[in-house]
Amino acid sequence: SPVIANNEDIFVTSEDGRLYALNASGRQIWPSYTTNAQFRATPALGIDGTLYVGDTNGRLHAVNSFNGFSVWDAPVRVSNAPIVASAVIDDDRTIYVGSTDGFVYAYDITGTLLWRTDTNIGSIRTGMALSEIETTLTLPNGTTRTVETTVLYAVTDQNFLYAIAGDDGSIRWQQRVAGPLRSGTIVGSDGTVYVGTSTGLMAVNENGGLRFIFPAEDVGSPVIDSEDNIYFMTEQTLRSVNPNGTPNFELLIGAFADGPLTINRRGQLIFAATDRLLYAVETEGNGLSRDGWPMFQKNERHTGNTAIR
């Protein structure tokens, strides 16, 4: 999927190993950034305009979005395992990227590796999500303090959902996913984590406890509106459920739509289907949820950055 900057410039990768930059009129802004590997991930956009994207040779690239020049590129691991999942960026500008080698890596904006997960969790091939969790600490003098910590959510080919501490890569908890994976993770305004599988929409509390499973066939990437309604495609039907797992509505489309759904600021749910049509469906909300991580790569512009709404 493309990522769109504040000035409406559009950046998109291709399996030809190039990162393209277009303005809103479709004119190429600068010569494409080229690698010796394929790109299969959506770039994440830093607040300074740097684009971050991994390639199939296992390298993470940082590219200046204003001129297409390389800022740096770093090997994620000597195994050269492909990176096919999109990177995500925290408020402190830490870049997280998951690899098919079974590890998640954290980098600072200079390309320095900060940590990798302390265990192999399985191949990561779908979108991750970031969330801020309140944690109560007990100080040496016996008093307590509540602090916010970053948690990264990732699902793997081993059919587990993992909560990973953003400061050191330790595993906070893991939850088995009900059925083969069909989507990446999103996070509601209350911290609930949602993931689509071949057997239903799964909702997990921020402490790792199972909240509900809404039975459905082949649930694609979900999205959450401003009223906390969750929308997703299941085979050829668009479905909506409430945050408590009860059904809201279903609408037969008659075609498959596997790509991420999005909601524009007028509250219209937009997606493309295999019948070569673009659909817009009215929702009850006033746009995308402004809290949590409500869709693939965080927001309508797919920036993958918690600091960009």
Side-chain angles (χ1 to χ4, degrees), residues 4-11 19-23 27-31 33 45-51 62-71 93 308:
I4 303 173
N6 285 336
N7 60 1
E8 298 187 1
D9 287 344
I10 304 158
F11 306 95
L19 169 63
Y20 293 92
L22 309 170
N23 65 16
R27 182 178 58 83
Q28 195 163 348
I29 302 171
W30 35 256
Y33 175 85
L45 180 65
I47 58 173
D48 62 352
T50 303
L51 297 163
V63 182
N64 187 316
S65 67
F66 301 105
N67 55 27
F69 294 162
S70 174
V71 179
R93 303 175 72 182
I308 302 177

Side-chain angles (χ1 to χ4, degrees), residues 65-306:
S65 67
F66 301 105
N67 55 27
F69 294 162
S70 174
V71 179
W72 51 261
D73 70 277
V76 168
R77 202 181 182 203
V78 293
S79 64
N80 296 327
I83 300 171
V84 296
S86 300
V88 293
I89 306 172
D90 200 358
D91 283 350
D92 65 2
R93 303 175 72 182
T94 301
I95 305 108
Y96 305 97
V97 61
S99 172
T100 56
D101 68 4
F103 294 91
V104 175
Y105 299 82
Y107 289 84
D108 68 15
I109 59 172
T110 69
T112 300
L113 178 65
L114 302 176
W115 54 254
R116 77 170 191 178
T117 43
D118 54 9
T119 185
N120 190 309
I121 61 176
S123 179
I124 301 164
R125 295 179 176 272
T126 57
M128 301 184 295
L130 289 171
S131 184
E132 292 292 328
I133 302 296
E134 288 190 351
T135 302
T136 300
L137 302 177
T138 301
L139 303 179
N141 61 6
T143 61
T144 59
R145 178 182 298 174
T146 300
V147 297
E148 285 193 345
T149 59
T150 297
V151 177
L152 178 70
Y153 296 108
V155 284
T156 72
D157 62 351
Q158 296 180 359
N159 292 337
F160 275 95
L161 165 65
Y162 288 89
I164 303 165
D167 55 352
D168 61 7
S170 59
I171 306 301
R172 294 173 62 99
W173 53 258
Q174 64 187 64
Q175 172 66 253
R176 179 173 290 278
V177 175
L181 181 67
R182 293 288 295 163
S183 83
T185 53
I186 66 169
V187 182
S189 60
D190 61 353
T192 302
V193 186
Y194 299 93
V195 59
T197 77
S198 63
T199 59
L201 178 71
M202 186 173 179
V204 179
N205 294 322
E206 64 180 24
N207 63 4
L210 179 64
R211 184 168 184 177
F212 67 80
I213 297 177
F214 185 88
E217 295 287 334
D218 292 333
V219 174
S221 299
V223 64
I224 305 173
D225 71 9
S226 61
E227 302 300 315
D228 292 328
N229 300 303
I230 305 105
Y231 304 87
F232 54 92
M233 284 294 299
T234 168
E235 292 191 329
Q236 300 185 47
T237 300
L238 173 66
R239 297 182 188 273
S240 174
V241 299
N242 298 304
N244 61 5
T246 57
N248 191 0
F249 73 81
E250 63 179 57
L251 178 65
L252 178 65
I253 301 300
F256 293 93
D258 289 336
L261 309 178
T262 190
I263 300 175
N264 66 19
R265 295 181 180 179
R266 292 189 294 172
Q268 295 172 331
L269 183 74
I270 298 176
F271 58 93
T274 54
D275 57 3
R276 300 185 180 182
L277 295 178
L278 183 66
Y279 288 84
V281 179
E282 296 291 341
T283 71
E284 296 178 355
N286 296 315
L288 193 68
S289 173
R290 310 316 293 178
D291 299 309
W293 191 279
M295 68 169 293
F296 169 73
Q297 289 300 90
K298 178 70 165 73
N299 50 38
E300 306 97 321
R301 297 191 284 121
H302 292 174
T303 60
N305 192 329
T306 57

